[in-house]
């Protein structure tokens, strides 16, 4: 049996790449206007047939995933000589993380709506990329003798500093975007400080006479 060739990999590939790029860009523009577009809507706005649009994106989830920020799973620390201090590392990751939220807010909000939809679509938010970024920031803690659960701590930071917290702070608590991000930064550092403080207290207790 001869395997089928993906639609975009056959025929006029460059033209198909341009068409796909145009559909993605249009999707991002609609999302910037607060619209969560369907494949049919994008096809209509792009003046292409629905059949053509569905060849690129078989459903709304695939369309929105393509329009999601193309930031991969790489770390957010500077590639050359990142600091060794975990507090400084976290602050750098938070700064870049908040820049991504600011630059891609419409797409992130759309992905959040998709994640919360009754249909339980697979949202790009479920890829867990931000957890990896926070784990990278916390990497120095994984090499000491305190037995830190770096992933659990990274999940705490993601929960306090992600798009969900941002949306609540801006839409419900009515903070400005800058104030919301300042509060999330403070929360992130407080979580790390409390964890490091707890570890320091456990180490001190373990070293006291009679504690063993």
């Amino acid at each position: 049996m001869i395997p089928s060739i993906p639609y975009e990999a056959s025929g006029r590939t460059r033209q198909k790449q341009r068409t796909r790029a145009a559909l993605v860009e249009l999707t991002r523009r609609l999302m910037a206007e607060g619209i969560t577009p369907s494949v049919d809507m994008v096809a209509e706005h792009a003046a292409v047939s629905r059949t053509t649009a569905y060849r690129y994106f078989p459903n709304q989830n695939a369309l929105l995933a393509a329009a999601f920020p193309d930031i991969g799973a790489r770390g957010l620390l500077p590639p050359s000589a990142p600091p060794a201090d975990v507090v400084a590392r976290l602050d750098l990751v938070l700064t870049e993380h908040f820049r991504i939220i600011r630059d891609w807010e419409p797409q992130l909000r759309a992905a959040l709506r998709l994640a919360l939809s009754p249909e339980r679509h697979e949202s790009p938010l479920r890829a867990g990329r931000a957890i990896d970024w926070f784990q990278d920031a916390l990497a120095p803690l994984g090499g000491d003798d305190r037995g830190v659960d770096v992933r659990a701590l990274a999940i705490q930071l993601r929960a306090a500093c992600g798009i969900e917290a941002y949306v609540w702070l801006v839409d419900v608590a009515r903070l400005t975007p800058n104030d919301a991000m300042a509060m999330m930064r403070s929360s992130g550092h407080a979580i790390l400080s409390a964890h490091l403080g707890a570890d320091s207290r456990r180490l001190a207790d373990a070293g006291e006479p009679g504690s063993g």
Side-chain angles (χ1 to χ4, degrees):
M1 180 177 178
I2 300 175
S4 60
I5 300 174
Y7 174 71
E8 295 173 55
S10 62
R12 302 174 180 176
T13 56
R14 290 193 177 183
Q15 179 178 331
K16 290 177 179 179
Q17 289 170 1
R18 290 193 295 269
T19 300
R20 178 187 173 86
L23 293 172
V24 169
E25 180 57 31
L26 178 56
T27 301
R28 287 174 174 166
R29 290 206 304 270
L30 290 171
M31 292 165 74
E33 297 173 8
I35 301 169
T36 304
S38 65
V39 179
D40 289 357
M41 180 186 296
V42 170
E44 181 179 353
H45 279 74
V48 302
S49 71
R50 288 185 296 176
T51 300
T52 296
Y54 277 103
R55 284 172 177 161
Y56 293 94
F57 308 107
N59 51 51
Q60 185 187 44
N61 182 57
L63 176 67
L64 298 181
F68 198 69
D70 184 18
I71 44 185
R74 65 180 184 276
L76 300 185
L77 290 169
S80 60
D85 178 68
V86 69
V87 175
R89 291 168 69 93
L90 176 61
D91 200 60
L92 287 171
V93 168
L94 286 172
T95 296
E96 184 64 9
H97 181 57
F98 294 152
R99 182 195 65 76
I100 291 169
I101 291 178
R102 186 182 298 277
D103 290 351
W104 295 94
E105 182 178 343
Q107 289 82 4
L108 291 168
R109 282 177 174 268
L112 178 58
R113 286 193 292 272
L114 193 66
L116 297 175
S117 68
E119 292 79 11
R120 302 291 293 170
H121 289 301
E122 187 62 29
S123 167
L125 291 179
R126 295 180 184 158
R129 291 179 293 184
I131 296 173
D132 292 336
W133 300 335
F134 287 120
Q135 282 191 254
D136 189 29
L138 301 170
L141 298 180
D144 59 25
D145 59 358
R146 288 178 286 186
V148 176
D149 187 339
V150 172
R151 180 170 177 79
L153 183 53
I155 291 172
Q156 282 186 272
L157 291 168
R158 168 62 180 84
C161 303
I163 184 62
E164 302 86 355
Y166 174 82
V167 168
W168 189 92
L169 289 169
V170 172
D171 293 3
V172 180
R174 302 297 183 185
L175 297 186
T176 66
N178 285 341
D179 286 345
M181 290 180 182
M183 184 169 290
M184 289 193 295
R185 185 186 298 273
S186 177
S187 296
H189 280 292
I191 288 170
L192 177 60
S193 178
H195 185 86
L196 294 177
D199 279 341
S200 297
R201 288 191 295 274
R202 284 196 294 270
L203 285 174
D205 292 342
E208 290 177 357
S211 62

